[in-house]
Amino acid sequence: MTNADVLVRVENIKKYFPISKGAFGRVTGYVRAVDGVTFDIRKGESFGLVGESGCGKTTTGRAILRLVELTAGRVFFDGQDLAQLDDVEMRKLRRRMQIVFQDPYSSLNPRMNVGAALVEPLTAHGIGTPAERLEKAKALLAQVGLRPFHLNRYPHEFSGGQRQRIVIARALSVDPEFIVCDEPVSALDVSIQSQILNLLKELQAKFGLTYLFVAHNLAVVRYISDRVGVMYLGKMVELADEREIYNHPVHPYTKALLAAVPGGDSGFERDKHILAGDVPSPANPPPGCSFHTRCPVARPDCKEVVPEWREIGPRHYVACHLAG
Ligand code: SF4
């Protein structure tokens, strides 16, 4: 892979949220939501980011878009270091990067009809004349499987799946190259989820989009992703091509996640990979390997020594003392 193939490069990013106490808001500690994560997203691929809630996957997606400011590390978009851009440059770049949130209802203004919701980003970026914007809004609706008469309807008049289609159309309105899909189907009925996933795949093929797909559901991530990164307590613990990670998981946490998929055929004995206990607090992560408190195969040194991030096979990376 060359630099020209990479659209997004995330370099050792950290996001610590301060914990304040008392009347004077004294900072007493930090929640380490993202704690040193590095990966690339290639042009035209779907990169899945998976893990339990609180693992830092959503914060990672938002940090890439600069919706939260980083504590440390750098994010490059098409070779540009986002931290070096001024407000005008960042505003121009924002058009190329969009996000689809989990809850389509709260993503849409209930007092704005669909036509206005689709035209608004075009107006904000100074794209087209009013007549051209309206034509574009109609075309966007058709691309996501809705009809022109829907332009005059309001969000509450649609089902959850239709609302997510509108949110996707709105994200597409400014012709982005990169979309962060933040749990885009987890608020939808199971029967609707595959329709939205298929729509995202179709749009990706049609427009050459690049996705960061954030989700806790491994089956959903598998369906849409070319490569998958697994996060635990703010760190990436395993990263590989989709087939590799689902057929040959190496990290005990990845194995446990796969074993926990209901009805899934993870190819190994389920009871050996049951996850014990809850995720520790990211304000006070365990020393050594942060997974050692729940790991069924932890060794004594796992409590003290942080495992290295190593390539154990072609494009297969893992952070575990036992790997390889
Ligand atoms: Fe388990 Fe040790 Fe590997 Fe961490 S380093 S995942 S505790 S075996």
Side-chain angles (χ1 to χ4, degrees):
M1 180 173 59
T2 66
N3 282 344
D5 299 326
V6 173
L7 185 63
V8 178
R9 174 153 180 77
V10 175
E11 220 173 72
N12 197 22
I13 63 166
K14 297 182 182 178
K15 178 63 192 176
Y16 295 176
F17 293 101
I19 304 167
S20 308
K21 274 200 182 141
F24 299 105
R26 193 168 53 89
V27 175
T28 55
Y30 290 90
V31 172
R32 300 174 185 204
V34 181
D35 200 10
V37 167
T38 296
F39 60 98
D40 291 331
I41 306 177
R42 300 170 198 155
K43 289 178 181 167
E45 83 167 337
S46 271
F47 187 100
L49 209 47
V50 72
E52 291 164 288
S53 58
C55 71
K57 56 191 190 302
T58 288
T59 306
T60 299
R62 292 178 189 196
I64 290 175
L65 300 183
R66 262 181 64 180
L67 297 178
V68 292
E69 287 302 324
L70 290 174
T71 305
R74 298 199 293 178
V75 175
F76 296 86
F77 185 84
D78 212 5
Q80 298 179 78
D81 183 346
L82 297 193
Q84 302 300 320
L85 302 182
D86 61 27
D87 287 350
V88 176
E89 291 166 325
M90 191 62 213
R91 193 173 148 74
K92 272 191 203 156
L93 202 66
R94 281 213 184 282
R95 187 176 156 181
R96 299 170 64 188
M97 321 155 82
Q98 294 292 308
I99 185 164
V100 172
F101 292 106
Q102 174 179 357
D103 179 2
Y105 199 65
S106 58
S107 303
L108 295 166
N109 182 341
R111 288 187 293 278
M112 199 180 258
N113 69 24
V114 171
L118 295 182
V119 161
E120 190 186 44
L122 298 169
T123 309
H125 286 279
I127 301 168
T129 62
E132 286 166 344
R133 288 173 201 151
L134 192 60
E135 279 312 303
K136 175 125 192 185
K138 284 183 194 163
L140 285 164
L141 277 187
Q143 271 153 8
V144 298
L146 295 173
R147 309 285 296 279
F149 66 83
H150 286 130
L151 283 176
N152 299 317
R153 302 249 171 110
Y154 287 82
H156 71 269
E157 297 178 73
F158 294 91
S159 66
Q162 286 175 319
R163 279 199 287 266
Q164 198 59 302
R165 287 173 188 270
I166 297 162
V167 171
I168 292 168
R170 190 174 145 95
L172 287 176
S173 64
V174 290
D175 300 326
E177 293 152 61
F178 174 60
I179 301 182
V180 173
C181 302
D182 185 4
E183 300 268 14
V185 297
S186 53
L188 304 177
D189 289 342
V190 174
S191 59
I192 306 298
Q193 291 184 355
S194 56
Q195 291 177 17
I196 297 297
L197 291 174
N198 285 334
L199 173 65
L200 287 169
K201 276 191 159 193
E202 278 166 29
L203 295 170
Q204 182 176 35
K206 193 167 178 185
F207 299 114
L209 297 166
T210 303
Y211 291 147
L212 173 66
F213 197 93
V214 175
H216 66 278
N217 183 323
L218 270 84
V220 165
V221 170
R222 178 171 204 179
Y223 185 69
I224 196 117
S225 305
D226 301 302
R227 285 188 305 144
V228 176
V230 180
M231 285 187 72
Y232 184 77
L233 268 188
K235 293 183 190 292
M236 192 81 86
V237 296
E238 188 160 8
L239 190 166
D241 291 347
E242 170 268 313
R243 275 172 187 250
E244 173 72 5
I245 210 158
Y246 284 87
N247 294 330
H248 306 289
V250 170
H251 197 283
Y253 180 61
T254 311
K255 291 180 180 179
L257 285 182
L258 286 170
V261 174
D265 179 13
S266 50
F268 43 80
E269 296 157 273
R270 238 160 229 280
D271 52 354
K272 286 194 180 168
H273 302 282
I274 301 276
L275 270 181
D278 294 324
V279 184
S281 165
N284 188 21
C289 172
S290 53
F291 186 57
H292 82 255
T293 54
R294 303 172 79 198
C295 180
V297 292
R299 309 185 305 199
D301 60 334
C302 297
K303 294 180 184 168
E304 287 154 22
V305 184
V306 177
E308 269 178 56
W309 181 244
R310 292 185 288 146
E311 186 168 14
I312 56 154
R315 298 195 305 274
H316 190 161
Y317 299 84
V318 66
C320 172
H321 295 311
L322 303 187

